[in-house]
Amino acid sequence: MEQQIARNEKQLGAILRRARKKAGLTQSALGRLRQGTVSRLEAGEPAVQLRTVMEALTALNLELIVRPRSTASAADIESIF
């Protein structure tokens, strides 16, 4: 999976949804997370706990990398989605 940029909850949710589908997993099959929790995470709901995000990343064999913000505009990033 190529690197993708997420600057908000909805963008992160979209990345996780694509990774889950690429892995051939249903929302119910994503690690120890309940289907409703995965649905809220993929929808970009802002109240999802960091622990939930980290569990989803682990279940998808992904990791979080923190780096300085790129100079791409928000519109450029939104066009990816």
Side-chain angles (χ1 to χ4, degrees):
M1 176 179 223
E2 81 261 3
Q3 290 187 15
Q4 299 178 56
I5 298 172
R7 289 187 175 166
N8 61 46
E9 298 91 345
K10 289 201 179 289
Q11 291 171 345
L12 179 58
I15 290 168
L16 295 175
R17 181 175 35 259
R18 284 193 301 272
R20 176 182 57 77
K21 288 183 176 183
K22 184 176 182 179
L25 298 171
T26 65
Q27 288 182 337
S28 299
L30 190 63
R32 299 177 300 170
L33 300 173
R34 292 184 1 211
Q35 182 275 328
T37 301
V38 175
S39 179
R40 286 192 302 280
L41 177 60
E42 290 182 357
E45 290 190 15
V48 174
Q49 293 185 3
L50 180 58
R51 179 181 305 201
T52 302
V53 173
M54 299 310 290
E55 286 181 16
L57 290 171
T58 298
L60 292 167
N61 200 30
L62 298 174
E63 62 189 358
L64 180 66
I65 298 173
V66 178
R67 65 176 193 183
R69 193 177 274 249
S70 68
T71 58
S73 71
D76 292 338
I77 293 169
E78 285 294 327
S79 70
I80 296 170
F81 302 99

